Amino acid sequence: MKSPPVMDPEAPPPPGTPPYDDEEEEKEKRGGRKGVPWRMTLSLAYQSIGVVYGDLSTSPLYVYKAAFAEDIQHSESNDEILGVLSFVFWTLTLVPLLKYVCVVLRADDHGEGGTFALYSLLCRHARAALLPPGRTAAGDEDQFLDGAGGGTKKANGNAVTLGGGAAASVRRLLQRHKVLQRVLLVLALVGTCMVIGDGVLTPAISVFSAVSGLELSMEKEHHKYVELPIACIILIFLFALQHYGTHRVGFIFAPVVITWLLCISVIGVYNIIHWEPTVYRALSPYYMYKFLRKTQRGGWMSLGGILLCVTGSEAMFADLGHFNQLSIQIAFTCMVYPALILAYMGQAAYLCKHHNMETDYRIGFYVSVPERIRWPVMAIAILAAVVGSQAVITGTFSMIKQCTSLGCFPRVKIIHTSAKVHGQIYIPEINWILMILCLAVTIGFRNTKHLGNASGLAVITVMLVTTCLMSLVIVLCWHKSIFLAIAFIVFFGTIEALYFSAALIKFREGAWVPIVLALIFILIMCIWHYGTIKKYEFDVQSKVSINWLLGLSPNLGIVRVRGIGLIHTELETGIPAIFSHFVTNLPAFHQVLIFMCIKNVPIPHVRPEERFLVGRIGPKQYRIYRCIVRYGYHDFHKDDIEFEKELVCSVAEFIRSGSSKLNGMPVEFDEEEQHMAVVRSNSIRMLEEEATTVEKTVGPSQASQEIQSPSPSPAPVVVPKKRVRFVLPAASPKPNAGVQEELQELSDAREAGMVFILGHSHVKAKSGSSFLRRFVINFCYDFLRRNSRGPNYAVSIPHASTLEVGMMYYI
């Protein structure tokens, strides 16, 4: 007899339920083509201007100043100014407009964007990943593939390969070579760490450039003593406001950025008409060639400043989950792009008539602003810089949360600042670390040149990583020609590599900062990743079978006590070593035992009705279950009370559905465990009522069931007792006697209470390990583990309901 298919606990919900089979419908909703009214799309476009484009819109504050820092000498012909404008125009056109708006935004992971979204998308289609167990796509079933991507699907039980020969060849290449999988993971981590580094550098350069208008209102020897304290005060104020959440001040984001964009557009038009109407000729690519031919090495080095015109472009893709493709595309093409082009053209037009500057510090943005409106413009610029920095900081929080969910970063405290929008989060530890680092680079550099060099390298590195990952997405996920992928990476990769080389050459002039920050964060991620995998491997090797536990019971005289015992484990099968260690030292456990495994799968969201996988361990009369709870990397973890209810209801639904069939799928037993099954709809409701009960003295005959006080004759105590009953759907058939008995026992156990049995592991390197391994495990990983937070579900568990079991792990 053919065995039924086994549900992979690490896979997302199987086909047959949205959003996986209704992929086209979901894409239409995200893209704004159908399902989303035009009014809503325009509203999202309006909101995205404040959230997504704050950083990009403030780039005119420092681009020309960074480009003309010291590498280019001015001449009467204005070739250098027109050449820089030509580079700015074509860079804005090719990178944000052509690459991101037209191509990259289409590579969403069920509506989510960013470096890890691309990585998880590739992992599912290539079936190759090196994320910690339970968070990886490697080796999963066909349900792990989304409808749009292809790879393989099943037809009548047989695997059918989709996609062309190129996709299959690349997939096999990734599956066979672990080195390529490591390169893919390192690429994702490098991109992520550079985004974190950008969260340090962008607030510094944006705010410092915004207050630099003071240099035109006072003498040079005085303004430098005023700019730095004001910039630091604004930065401290910015980071101190983070715990209030974006939603409290978010309503002013879009008006501030729109006002700023209109302001620089009007100033740009004024400068073009008043100073140099023929500046439009710089839009010809010929001026780029002329610029490089004339300036040579100095012009090449100035590209490190020019590339700052695209800083913030990655936010279009990273913040995709909060909006949809069409809204972001409309906002950029109709508002942001024209405003930036007019602003840069206006600055160039002014400089064409005022290119004989006394010092390079007077080439900043404010010199092209008419003097009578300079102060109001500076106030708007400071507000826009704060808004742009706010978006980068919250994006960094989101990136850290993704890394934590996928097991690539130590667990940190995550506070959801909005009850309505789960994407708005605050991480205290990361916030204060970012503030300290941001103040350090601001005070340390004290000028736009070095801050620009540092920020430019971080920005262009993220773009290079996106280009590399996108070339694989084109082949593996979109099943396009491999020549199209090669053309994509050659065209955009060449442009970005040119800017990357210009930014990297300034290593000693500030570009070392993002490299050092990235190395520190990558080191933390790799150590955590390595230790997590080794700890999981120890769990797998040390697990015991249910037969061992059942065979141990007669010898130890194991007693079942009232209540539900909830044992957390990382394993999907077998009994964890923590529990076997516990039961051999204390031979008693609860009348209902649930082994709970929380899995963070590399998809953005798991539908609530698809979250729980439930199965039975051992014979039915032992009342031992296994429940696997799946979360996406953007899912919100509920509080312990609501989580307990959903967990118990899922087990009750599993019992009610019967032990022979669930979800239309026959369920069979092997020697130890039943196959896992998705509990799709928790139609059972659990009602809990408070009732007053007199607790009597426990007699000798009851000693094996409950712990008795040593007092000779304790008085009866009146205590509140919780009554629990399950309410079945009205249309459901009446359950048989066996199901009723099992449900009654579950409700009795719930009335008695639930105890969380958590493992408290001490990790050490096993004997014979090398010095490097001992240093990494005994010192680095152990330090990170001891100073990181516990699992999300365990943070708010009452101490009276928690039982910790200590155990030494030799890995």
Side-chain angles (χ1 to χ4, degrees):
M1 180 177 178
K2 186 177 178 180
S3 175
V6 180
M7 175 62 67
D8 187 350
E10 298 175 7
T17 58
Y20 302 98
D21 273 3
D22 297 337
E23 183 72 20
E24 292 302 321
E25 180 182 347
E26 289 296 315
K27 284 196 170 185
E28 287 168 355
K29 289 181 181 179
R30 293 194 300 267
R33 294 186 292 273
K34 292 181 182 178
V36 178
W38 272 100
R39 182 176 298 177
M40 183 179 295
T41 300
L42 293 177
S43 174
L44 289 173
Y46 167 79
Q47 297 172 40
S48 70
I49 293 175
V51 176
V52 177
Y53 297 110
D55 186 16
L56 184 61
S57 65
T58 56
S59 57
L61 288 170
Y62 45 79
V63 168
Y64 277 101
K65 190 172 182 178
F68 288 102
E70 63 182 10
D71 303 315
I72 304 174
Q73 299 298 324
H74 301 289
S75 66
E76 297 294 334
S77 63
N78 294 325
D79 289 340
E80 295 84 0
I81 296 171
L82 296 179
V84 170
L85 175 60
S86 185
F87 265 103
V88 168
F89 170 76
W90 286 104
T91 303
L92 277 171
T93 302
L94 294 178
V95 178
L97 184 61
L98 183 60
K99 176 186 169 183
Y100 280 93
V101 171
C102 298
V103 181
V104 176
L105 285 180
R106 302 178 183 275
D108 62 295
D109 182 20
H110 295 296
E112 298 293 336
T115 304
F116 258 105
L118 283 179
Y119 179 70
S120 64
L121 194 66
L122 289 170
C123 287
R124 295 204 305 276
H125 288 81
R127 300 184 180 185
L130 287 174
L131 291 176
R135 302 169 178 90
T136 174
D140 56 12
E141 297 296 321
D142 298 299
Q143 292 91 339
F144 213 2
L145 299 176
D146 56 28
T152 62
K153 286 187 177 180
K154 285 195 175 182
N156 300 324
N158 298 320
V160 180
T161 302
L162 301 179
S169 300
V170 174
R171 186 181 301 112
R172 286 195 298 268
L173 193 66
L174 285 172
Q175 290 173 351
R176 290 175 182 174
H177 297 86
K178 287 287 184 182
V179 174
L180 297 179
Q181 296 179 28
R182 291 189 179 95
V183 169
L184 199 62
L185 177 60
V186 169
L187 270 179
L189 294 181
V190 167
T192 302
C193 292
M194 283 297 181
V195 170
I196 298 173
D198 196 33
V200 173
L201 297 167
T202 293
I205 189 173
S206 297
V207 173
F208 193 84
S209 299
V211 301
S212 64
L214 295 171
E215 66 189 7
L216 299 176
S217 305
M218 55 185 66
E219 296 180 3
K220 182 180 179 181
E221 48 276 353
H222 293 157
H223 77 77
K224 61 182 179 181
Y225 298 110
V226 177
E227 286 180 357
L228 186 61
I230 293 179
C232 291
I233 291 172
I234 293 175
L235 289 173
I236 293 173
F237 178 75
L238 171 65
F239 283 98
L241 286 179
Q242 293 302 312
H243 72 280
Y244 289 108
T246 304
H247 68 287
R248 297 185 186 273
V249 290
F251 67 94
I252 66 169
F253 280 11
V256 166
V257 177
I258 289 175
T259 303
W260 168 249
L261 290 173
L262 292 176
C263 181
I264 62 177
S265 301
V266 171
I267 294 173
V269 171
Y270 168 80
N271 285 330
I272 293 171
I273 296 174
H274 186 72
W275 297 112
E276 185 59 66
T278 62
V279 74
Y280 66 86
R281 67 184 187 273
L283 304 185
S284 170
Y286 170 72
Y287 282 89
M288 291 191 294
Y289 165 73
K290 195 175 181 180
F291 171 78
L292 291 177
R293 186 183 65 181
K294 185 174 182 178
T295 57
Q296 297 181 358
R297 187 176 187 274
W300 169 63
M301 292 184 67
S302 71
L303 294 179
I306 295 173
L307 73 87
L308 294 176
C309 69
V310 294
T311 182
S313 299
E314 188 71 21
M316 285 192 285
F317 186 45
D319 293 333
L320 183 60
H322 298 287
F323 307 97
N324 59 23
Q325 295 174 14
L326 188 57
S327 63
I328 293 179
Q329 291 167 341
I330 289 174
F332 182 78
T333 55
C334 298
M335 183 71 188
V336 179
Y337 178 74
L340 290 177
I341 296 300
L342 289 174
Y344 287 117
M345 290 178 67
Q347 284 183 262
Y350 180 87
L351 293 176
C352 283
K353 297 300 181 181
H354 303 80
H355 50 75
N356 292 323
M357 296 293 175
E358 297 175 3
T359 54
D360 66 290
Y361 83 92
R362 297 183 64 86
I363 310 179
F365 168 78
Y366 292 107
V367 74
S368 64
V369 179
E371 188 173 355
R372 61 182 177 272
I373 62 170
R374 191 169 290 161
W375 283 101
V377 170
M378 186 170 68
I380 299 173
I382 292 174
L383 289 176
V386 169
V387 169
S389 302
Q390 170 71 33
V392 173
I393 293 169
T394 54
T396 304
F397 292 159
S398 179
M399 190 66 68
I400 293 290
K401 180 180 181 293
Q402 290 184 31
C403 295
T404 303
S405 298
L406 295 175
C408 290
F409 197 83
R411 288 184 294 266
V412 291
K413 182 179 181 180
I414 298 176
I415 300 173
H416 292 263
T417 58
S418 173
K420 297 180 180 179
V421 183
H422 291 163
Q424 295 181 2
I425 60 175
Y426 167 66
I427 305 177
E429 298 95 331
I430 300 299
N431 182 67
W432 302 123
I433 290 174
L434 289 179
M435 187 191 75
I436 293 171
L437 293 175
C438 188
L439 291 174
V441 297
T442 304
I443 297 171
F445 289 147
R446 302 186 184 186
N447 62 67
T448 308
K449 175 187 172 183
H450 291 84
L451 289 172
N453 294 339
S455 180
L457 184 62
V459 168
I460 201 63
T461 304
V462 177
M463 291 184 175
L464 268 173
V465 169
T466 301
T467 299
C468 295
L469 296 179
M470 268 303 304
S471 62
L472 291 175
V473 169
I474 291 173
V475 176
L476 289 173
C477 306
W478 295 352
H479 300 288
K480 303 296 183 182
S481 169
I482 194 170
F483 297 105
L484 182 62
I486 293 174
F488 179 87
I489 195 172
V490 168
F491 181 73
F492 291 106
T494 302
I495 296 172
E496 291 162 358
L498 179 65
Y499 282 116
F500 180 80
S501 63
L504 191 61
I505 201 67
K506 299 181 179 180
F507 179 84
R508 299 178 62 182
E509 299 176 3
W512 58 270
V513 172
I515 295 177
V516 171
L517 290 176
L519 286 176
I520 292 173
F521 280 102
I522 285 178
L523 189 63
I524 292 173
M525 290 181 178
C526 289
I527 291 173
W528 186 262
H529 166 79
Y530 177 78
T532 303
I533 285 184
K534 292 302 179 183
K535 185 173 177 292
Y536 179 81
E537 290 175 354
F538 181 87
D539 275 333
V540 172
Q541 295 169 2
S542 305
K543 70 179 181 180
V544 297
S545 65
I546 184 64
N547 290 334
W548 174 88
L549 181 63
L550 299 179
L552 194 67
S553 180
N555 299 327
L556 294 180
I558 292 179
V559 177
R560 304 294 292 270
V561 297
R562 296 185 64 223
I564 298 177
L566 189 64
I567 300 98
H568 172 253
T569 174
E570 294 288 340
L571 303 176
E572 305 92 51
T573 59
I575 306 298
I578 287 288
F579 184 72
S580 62
H581 179 67
F582 165 74
V583 80
T584 51
N585 287 275
L586 182 63
F589 54 86
H590 298 81
Q591 67 184 104
V592 174
L593 209 58
I594 302 175
F595 289 92
M596 180 187 65
C597 177
I598 292 183
K599 294 295 180 183
N600 291 288
V601 294
I603 60 172
H605 301 283
V606 176
R607 293 169 63 90
E609 60 269 25
E610 303 289 343
R611 191 172 306 284
F612 294 93
L613 280 78
V614 184
R616 195 189 304 276
I617 302 178
K620 183 177 180 180
Q621 62 270 21
Y622 282 91
R623 308 292 193 252
I624 303 178
Y625 309 94
R626 185 182 303 282
C627 184
I628 297 177
V629 190
R630 300 177 299 178
Y631 289 98
Y633 53 77
H634 274 310
D635 276 334
F636 172 68
H637 291 240
K638 298 181 179 179
D639 60 74
D640 59 305
I641 301 298
E642 190 174 355
F643 177 79
E644 286 180 25
K645 291 181 178 179
E646 288 190 359
L647 182 67
V648 174
C649 284
S650 297
V651 175
E653 176 68 19
F654 174 81
I655 295 170
R656 184 190 70 85
S657 300
S659 58
S660 61
K661 195 170 186 179
L662 188 65
N663 299 331
M665 180 189 299
V667 179
E668 296 183 358
F669 285 89
D670 55 19
E671 293 181 357
E672 298 184 5
E673 298 194 29
Q674 177 181 312
H675 297 310
M676 305 298 295
V678 178
V679 179
R680 296 180 187 272
S681 57
N682 289 340
S683 53
I684 284 187
R685 291 186 300 114
M686 183 175 67
L687 300 181
E688 295 183 333
E689 303 170 351
E690 296 293 337
T692 302
T693 307
V694 177
E695 192 174 89
K696 298 179 180 180
T697 306
V698 180
S701 62
Q702 297 171 305
S704 62
Q705 296 295 324
E706 298 181 357
I707 298 177
Q708 181 175 332
S709 171
S711 303
S713 57
V717 180
V718 178
V719 295
K721 184 179 179 182
K722 183 166 50 180
R723 287 176 173 267
V724 177
R725 59 191 180 93
F726 295 109
V727 180
L728 304 181
S732 62
K734 184 178 180 180
N736 58 42
V739 172
Q740 290 184 16
E741 180 185 355
E742 196 169 358
L743 286 174
Q744 182 61 47
E745 190 165 350
L746 180 63
S747 65
D748 292 342
R750 174 62 180 169
E751 288 179 0
M754 180 178 289
V755 174
F756 293 82
I757 302 176
L758 307 176
H760 187 76
S761 56
H762 302 272
V763 180
K764 285 189 176 294
K766 57 187 176 182
S767 59
S769 300
S770 64
F771 170 78
L772 180 61
R773 184 188 180 100
R774 292 199 306 271
F775 176 76
V776 169
I777 297 297
N778 295 349
F779 180 76
C780 300
Y781 177 74
D782 188 60
F783 174 81
L784 293 175
R785 187 189 57 80
R786 284 187 287 106
N787 289 278
S788 64
R789 298 257 169 183
N792 292 332
Y793 64 90
V795 173
S796 56
I797 295 175
H799 292 291
S801 303
T802 305
L803 178 63
E804 289 193 357
V805 181
M807 184 174 177
M808 185 66 70
Y809 279 58
Y810 292 97
I811 60 177

